[in-house]
Amino acid sequence: MDNAPIGIFDSGLGGLTVARAIIDKLPDEEICYLGDTAHTPYGSRPIAQARRFTLECLDALASRGVKALVIACNTATAAAISDARERYWIDARIPVIEVITPAARRAVATTRNRRVGVIGTEATIQSEAYRHALAAVPGLTVVEQACPQFVEFVERGVTTGPELEAVAREYFEPLKAAEIDTLVLGCTHYPLLTGVIGRVMGDSVSLVTSSEATANATYNELVDRGLLHEPWAEGRAPSHRFLTTGAGESFPRLARRFLGPEVARVDEIAIDSTETGA
């Protein structure tokens, strides 16, 4: 047993979809969520800069005594997963769970015609992280499409509407032309847009999100390493903590909308990072 919290990191709001799935899957666990709202979105940033921001934020979570780290951001995973595992698992024995591998495995199990689409930020698509994760599967066709405006919509709290649908239709033309039957939502912001995405792609296309798959991976990691939180006594319940790096005035309101009443308060912390020197 280990009663320390699970650290969950994202560039902004999107990782709340992973946090929700982890809370549901592991109801005795406490989480400490950090959204790097001062630097969101990561998807249009250089990979080196996203890597630096990611490691600085993970350092902030590790310093708060978390027992595991979940990188709930595809761009951050693509930029920094190797460094993160060396720094936290090899050096500090803190397990690091990411979102790309679990989603890729779910997509392989889901597809029927062996044609899989992947949507993500520009940085995630350029990294080819999903293509590499799926490369070992014989006979699989992978079609990737960057959807940079989606994160901006979510961070503004816009999840429906004709403007968003028009953007989605333009993005999805190559995916529909490729006749995919499975679409990986390769950004943790995107599950908040499943209504529009499902409407544009149609009922014949299965949507795969990383949230549930990552929650399963987190559950397995904690069980395998004996890190589960002990059951709470009657009348007591987990207390979750939510942190931002600043410039996120709308975060508390949107976090409660997307995650629920678990977001009792949001604290701002300082990260030793600047926009220069990437």
Side-chain angles (χ1 to χ4, degrees):
M1 295 290 179
D2 188 327
N3 292 344
I6 300 168
I8 303 176
F9 162 71
D10 183 64
S11 62
L13 281 164
L16 292 172
T17 61
V18 176
R20 175 76 271 165
I22 289 175
I23 290 171
D24 291 343
K25 181 73 64 175
L26 293 156
D28 286 326
E29 299 294 335
E30 295 184 317
I31 69 166
C32 181
Y33 181 96
L34 173 56
D36 189 13
T37 49
H39 302 118
T40 195
Y42 279 14
S44 57
R45 292 183 177 276
I47 285 289
Q49 194 176 57
R51 173 187 171 277
R52 180 163 59 84
F53 291 156
T54 297
L55 293 175
E56 287 169 349
C57 288
L58 293 176
D59 281 347
L61 285 172
S63 71
R64 285 163 171 77
V66 299
K67 64 184 175 186
L69 287 165
V70 179
I71 306 178
C73 174
N74 287 262
T75 301
T77 296
I81 186 59
S82 295
D83 297 284
R85 284 191 168 139
E86 180 176 355
R87 180 178 297 194
Y88 307 109
W89 173 240
I90 295 177
D91 293 347
R93 310 311 287 176
I94 301 174
V96 180
I97 299 102
E98 45 87 12
V99 290
I100 290 176
T101 303
R105 288 173 177 164
R106 178 67 60 87
V108 171
T110 301
T111 185
R112 303 172 304 281
N113 69 0
R114 316 294 281 177
R115 293 177 177 270
V116 173
V118 178
I119 57 175
T121 66
E122 291 174 336
T124 297
I125 298 303
Q126 288 172 6
S127 75
E128 297 189 325
Y130 276 97
R131 190 175 293 277
H132 294 319
L134 295 165
V137 182
L140 194 71
T141 298
V142 180
V143 183
E144 297 181 297
Q145 175 66 46
C147 302
Q149 292 186 61
F150 278 180
V151 171
E152 298 170 12
F153 278 107
V154 171
E155 292 287 336
R156 296 200 311 267
V158 178
T159 56
T160 60
E163 181 185 3
L164 175 59
E165 185 168 325
V167 170
R169 290 190 182 281
E170 181 178 351
Y171 283 153
F172 294 167
E173 283 183 7
L175 301 171
K176 293 174 76 70
E179 298 182 341
I180 64 167
D181 75 345
T182 301
L183 179 62
V184 178
L185 309 191
C187 174
T188 50
H189 286 71
Y190 295 177
L192 299 168
L193 304 177
T194 50
V196 168
I197 294 171
R199 172 177 166 83
V200 174
M201 289 304 300
D203 294 338
S204 63
V205 176
S206 299
L207 304 183
V208 173
T209 71
S210 57
S211 306
E212 186 66 25
T214 302
N216 288 337
T218 302
Y219 177 91
N220 290 334
E221 191 76 22
L222 297 188
V223 170
D224 291 345
R225 303 196 184 283
L227 296 176
L228 287 175
H229 195 292
E230 64 183 348
W232 290 85
E234 186 175 353
R236 299 190 62 200
S239 177
H240 306 302
R241 189 174 186 191
F242 297 86
L243 309 170
T244 68
T245 55
E249 294 80 5
S250 64
F251 185 95
R253 173 179 57 84
L254 293 175
R256 292 186 187 100
R257 173 184 167 189
F258 294 142
L259 182 63
E262 286 85 357
V263 187
R265 57 178 283 185
V266 178
D267 297 314
E268 184 176 320
I269 65 170
I271 297 293
D272 294 331
S273 188
T274 63
E275 293 292 333
T276 60

